[in-house]
Amino acid sequence: MVFEALNLKTPVRAIQGAFGSRISSFITQVRPDQVVNLLGHDPRSKHWNRLPTEEIKDIYNFLQRKTSKDRRESVAGYIEERMGPDSIAIGAFPSISIAFQQPTEFRSYGSNIPGAVGELLVDVSHSNVRILIDGLGRLTGALDLLDEGREDLIKSFFLPVTIYRSEEHTSEL
């Protein structure tokens, strides 16, 4: 009998880029309700006491500031007014940013073209630390709307996401 390891990798379609030889970047789009799955945790400051490890708690406490009630409500209002079915004007957000601590496999759909389109195989296990490094207020506003029962609205748009991946294993993000 042959046992295979459980595959905890999920493909994420992306466009590859780079920042020098040590950092690769990947541009994609993710529905706000799926960002928690991509991260492996809920990054909202009200949930920091439930983060999976002390390392992740320490990183968030160092990198992020808690999202104020005014900021959460402002973002939620913007989403309702600009992205809802009865929007008064068109709205959009800049990319949120996620850092991966460990190298992650990328499979190009075509030849070895820089900036190729392909799939980033995201290891969704808890051993692969992934941190939201920019966009906490935007994501918090969207996820709070989801908590308020606005699933229809949150599932009607995608957030641009930039993923940064180290090309070498490091213990720091």
Side-chain angles (χ1 to χ4, degrees):
M1 178 183 280
V2 176
F3 290 98
E4 291 187 29
L6 181 61
N7 185 356
L8 294 176
K9 293 183 179 179
T10 190
V12 176
R13 294 183 189 132
I15 299 171
Q16 183 181 27
F19 288 93
S21 62
R22 295 180 54 202
I23 302 285
S24 290
S25 64
F26 302 90
I27 310 298
T28 191
Q29 301 245 339
V30 178
R31 282 193 344 235
D33 61 310
Q34 293 297 316
V35 174
V36 171
N37 292 337
L38 180 61
L39 284 168
H41 59 268
D42 189 330
R44 292 179 284 180
S45 54
K46 67 182 180 181
H47 295 296
W48 286 355
N49 63 340
R50 293 188 236 162
L51 289 169
T53 67
E54 287 300 317
E55 176 188 22
I56 294 174
K57 288 177 191 176
D58 290 344
I59 292 170
Y60 275 105
N61 280 314
F62 179 74
L63 287 179
Q64 295 284 359
R65 63 182 177 271
K66 292 185 177 187
T67 307
S68 70
K69 181 181 177 188
D70 288 345
R71 175 76 171 133
R72 289 190 318 266
E73 290 174 354
S74 174
V75 170
Y78 180 88
I79 291 169
E80 289 177 316
E81 292 173 8
R82 301 289 182 104
M83 297 177 190
D86 300 320
S87 61
I88 59 173
I90 295 172
F93 285 125
S95 181
I96 64 171
S97 299
I98 297 173
F100 287 12
Q101 191 173 42
Q102 298 177 13
T104 304
E105 182 181 357
F106 179 75
R107 293 185 184 162
S108 175
Y109 289 149
S111 62
N112 294 332
I113 303 168
V117 176
E119 292 179 336
L120 185 63
L121 298 178
V122 177
D123 177 352
V124 294
S125 68
H126 286 294
S127 63
N128 183 23
V129 176
R130 301 165 318 270
I131 301 291
L132 183 74
I133 57 174
D134 185 53
L136 182 60
R138 287 167 267 157
L139 184 58
T140 296
L143 293 176
D144 283 359
L145 280 172
L146 186 64
D147 290 348
E148 294 168 11
R150 295 302 315 270
E151 187 173 331
D152 59 326
L153 177 59
I154 297 307
K155 289 188 173 188
S156 71
F157 70 95
F158 291 81
L159 287 172
V161 177
T162 302
I163 296 169
Y164 297 96
R165 171 191 79 178
S166 172
E167 291 302 325
E168 52 195 51
H169 180 69
T170 178
S171 62
E172 296 180 26
L173 289 172

